[in-house]
């Protein structure tokens, strides 16, 4: 019985860590949060969880990259509105409504 409890303790949070990594790729902020939860569960059980650490890294990097891309895109649109002035304009296949 002791070996079963040792095995269970060493795998604590592992399934959640794998799930977190998949979520970090698909839904970055959700995967990041689930990865942190999985890591906390594993640490409390005294186990290591590389899956959770990978999920945290992937989730954080993806969040940062997508956030940066969003800011760059919004900045480009704002700059274009500054050049075009107020009104409705067509720019690179997009309809921009500038005020």
């Amino acid at each position: 019985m002791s070996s079963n409890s040792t095995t269970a303790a060493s795998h604590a949070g592992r399934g959640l860590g794998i799930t977190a990594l998949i979520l970090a790729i698909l839904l970055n902020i959700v995967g990041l949060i689930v990865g942190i939860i999985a890591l906390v569960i594993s640490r409390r059980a005294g186990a290591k969880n590389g899956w959770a650490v990978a999920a945290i890294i992937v989730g954080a990097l993806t969040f940062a990259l997508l956030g940066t891309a969003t800011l760059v895109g919004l900045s480009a649109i704002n700059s274009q509105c500054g050049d075009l002035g107020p009104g409705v304009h067509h720019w690179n296949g997009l309809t921009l409504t500038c005020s």
Side-chain angles (χ1 to χ4, degrees), residues 27-94:
L27 302 166
N28 58 2
I29 206 72
V30 175
L32 176 63
I33 293 167
V34 173
I36 292 169
I37 292 168
L39 187 61
V40 168
I41 291 170
S42 296
R43 292 261 169 102
R44 285 185 182 167
K48 294 183 179 181
N49 192 343
W51 291 102
V53 173
I56 292 168
I57 292 169
V58 169
L61 287 176
T62 306
F63 181 73
L65 289 174
L66 289 177
T68 301
T70 300
L71 289 176
V72 168
L74 290 175
S75 176
I77 290 171
N78 189 30
S79 172
Q80 192 65 27
C81 277
D83 293 341
L84 295 173
V88 177
H89 308 283
H90 297 285
W91 176 64
N92 288 342
L94 299 172

Side-chain angles (χ1 to χ4, degrees), residues 15-25 30-32 34-36 38 51-52 55:
L16 193 58
I18 294 169
T19 302
L21 182 57
I22 294 168
L23 285 173
I25 294 168
V30 175
L32 176 63
V34 173
I36 292 169
W51 291 102

